Amino acid sequence: MTDFEINKYFNLAIQAAEKARGKCSPNPFVGSVIVKNNKVIAIGWTLQYGGDHSEIQAIKHAGKEAEGATIFVTLEPCSHYGKTPPCAKAIIEAGIQEVYIGIPDPNPIVSGNGIAMLKNAGIKVHCGFHEDKIKKQLEYYLCHIEKGRPFVTLKTALSLDGKYAAGDGSSKWITGEKARKYVHKLRSENDVILTGIKTILADDPLLNARLPGNPKQPLRVVLDPYLKIPVSSRFINSLSEFPGLIICSNSMLKTDKAKVLRQTGAVIHGLDCENGHFNLSEVLNMLHNMNFYSILLETGSGLAEAFLEDNLIDKFIFIYGAKILGGTKSPFPNLGLSNINQAILLSDISYRKIEQDLMVIAYPKVIT
């Protein structure tokens, strides 16, 4: 098979994986393409958690034609029994004769075992294609496995001169309607939307994904050390429709306010808290243990700065509206970087125009 053909089929598999983004967590979203006689005969992607993995979907679509075919899959096929049987076993039983794998799975229960199972069955296996692209596509899953915590994205909307609000605090709307729709898509793709109590008190946000159809709703999480959240807030009044979690100080768990909130259906978890501040690594560890892989921060400057200072932000999304506001409403006013040499360096920058707005995506630069 030529390099051109291999690249073509992997691009199709990567595109197929995108159809599962935000819909199959905590499973990674993976794409598969089955080819026979230089013709694509089936395409699959990961279904909702507990459903078929991409390889199984593709094999089902191919039917008997899978025998003697070649499969291209973005992530190493699993080799263990979980919610579903092993995909490597299904590939063997389908009679597929050759497998091209984008990247190996770093999950210890899979890592190399899927490849070994295929090779032991006499199947030709090739691994290591479009690695950078696939690793970025699976950044949530890889962070969960390799760092033992959820992947954290900070999203913020700013004027072109970098202000999150006008001098009087008003901010509706800095960006246009199409950019705001993109934010709802972003919410549906993440497991968790995390904010602080100051944002709840100031803006009374709903924090759900408002899209046509029936989009996956993220878990809305509020860091509220002293349970200041109003019972009348939109967050509380929408709990029957959209999941929500309040994280408070352990000292507040048995208070009357906690009792009242639980009567509304609120779920409340406690953590140690010092002077109104949580250890953010403990917050992430709690959410990691709940099997959440991705977190979208929609916070005020204080909480955003705290995540930055603890080096817990994996990705930045800045959406710049076509407006100039002036004033002092900077998104990180107290970050304390007094010298240019202390600046947080960013890399892997990408840009996208959304009507008159500009979206910039960047990653913290890893210093080696």
Side-chain angles (χ1 to χ4, degrees):
M1 192 169 289
T2 67
D3 289 344
F4 174 80
E5 289 170 328
I6 291 169
N7 289 333
K8 179 177 71 172
Y9 298 137
F10 264 113
N11 281 326
L12 285 175
I14 290 167
Q15 291 170 19
E18 281 298 317
K19 296 183 179 183
R21 182 184 287 271
K23 299 174 183 177
C24 61
S25 186
N27 282 337
F29 50 99
V30 178
S32 294
V33 173
I34 297 179
V35 177
K36 192 171 186 179
N37 299 324
N38 294 320
K39 179 182 177 183
V40 174
I41 61 172
I43 295 177
W45 53 88
T46 314
L47 300 185
Q48 187 174 1
Y49 184 56
D52 290 341
H53 292 189
S54 69
E55 301 94 319
I56 307 300
Q57 273 291 291
I59 289 168
K60 284 182 176 178
H61 292 320
K64 292 181 180 180
E65 286 296 306
E67 186 171 354
T70 298
I71 189 169
F72 294 79
V73 57
T74 54
L75 182 69
E76 177 182 359
C78 62
S79 55
H80 63 287
Y81 285 86
K83 288 277 187 179
T84 58
C87 292
K89 184 173 182 286
I91 290 172
I92 295 166
E93 292 175 347
I96 288 172
Q97 66 178 13
E98 195 166 10
V99 179
Y100 285 81
I101 297 168
I103 63 171
D105 191 336
N107 188 336
I109 63 175
V110 177
S111 186
N113 295 326
I115 292 172
M117 184 182 290
L118 294 169
K119 286 183 175 179
N120 290 338
I123 294 173
K124 295 179 183 178
V125 179
H126 315 270
C127 188
F129 301 90
H130 291 256
E131 292 177 88
D132 289 344
K133 187 182 291 187
I134 293 170
K135 284 179 180 179
K136 183 176 286 188
Q137 185 177 56
L138 292 175
E139 58 193 4
Y140 300 167
Y141 173 71
L142 296 178
C143 181
H144 173 85
I145 297 298
E146 295 171 353
K147 294 185 179 180
R149 65 165 177 80
F151 186 93
V152 178
T153 301
L154 174 65
K155 184 278 300 178
T156 187
L158 302 169
S159 62
L160 202 57
D161 57 333
K163 303 302 185 295
Y164 68 85
D168 64 356
S170 59
S171 60
K172 293 186 178 181
W173 295 101
I174 289 178
T175 57
E177 183 178 355
K178 194 168 182 178
R180 298 197 298 274
K181 285 182 179 178
Y182 172 79
V183 171
H184 286 283
K185 181 175 181 291
L186 196 60
R187 287 177 178 176
S188 72
E189 293 173 358
N190 278 267
D191 296 334
V192 170
I193 307 299
L194 190 145
T195 195
I197 185 58
K198 289 183 180 179
T199 297
I200 295 291
L201 295 176
D203 300 333
D204 194 21
L206 199 52
L207 298 174
N208 67 328
R210 297 188 285 280
L211 295 168
N214 186 28
K216 188 208 77 175
Q217 293 295 334
L219 175 70
R220 303 169 302 157
V221 176
V222 180
L223 301 186
D224 185 7
Y226 304 121
L227 292 182
K228 294 182 179 180
I229 189 167
V231 176
S232 60
S233 67
R234 294 208 295 167
F235 180 94
I236 296 297
N237 284 317
S238 60
L239 286 172
S240 62
E241 298 176 81
F242 311 114
L245 168 66
I246 301 169
I247 299 177
C248 70
S249 168
N250 280 323
S251 63
M252 297 296 295
L253 288 173
K254 295 182 179 180
T255 61
D256 290 341
K257 180 64 176 289
K259 182 179 180 180
V260 169
L261 288 170
R262 288 192 186 97
Q263 288 173 346
T264 70
V267 177
I268 305 173
H269 286 187
L271 284 176
D272 290 338
C273 183
E274 186 174 344
N275 298 322
H277 298 285
F278 295 108
N279 180 319
L280 295 178
S281 292
E282 291 182 358
V283 171
L284 295 186
N285 187 57
M286 172 187 284
L287 294 170
H288 172 79
N289 290 336
M290 296 168 71
N291 233 10
F292 294 118
Y293 286 13
S294 58
I295 296 175
L296 182 65
L297 297 181
E298 296 201 29
T299 72
S301 58
L303 195 51
E305 287 169 343
F307 271 92
L308 266 175
E309 289 168 352
D310 288 351
N311 295 313
L312 292 174
I313 294 179
D314 300 294
K315 183 178 181 178
F316 297 88
I317 298 179
F318 298 102
I319 304 177
Y320 292 94
K323 296 178 176 70
I324 292 177
L325 291 176
T328 60
K329 302 292 187 180
S330 164
F332 313 117
N334 302 306
L335 199 53
L337 303 179
S338 57
N339 187 284
I340 190 65
N341 294 320
Q342 298 174 306
I344 296 169
L345 302 179
L346 304 177
S347 65
D348 199 7
I349 313 293
S350 60
Y351 312 88
R352 174 181 162 190
K353 192 176 180 187
I354 306 177
E355 292 184 331
Q356 295 304 306
D357 302 327
L358 178 67
M359 180 171 68
V360 178
I361 298 175
Y363 297 79
K365 187 171 184 178
V366 178
I367 307 298
T368 57

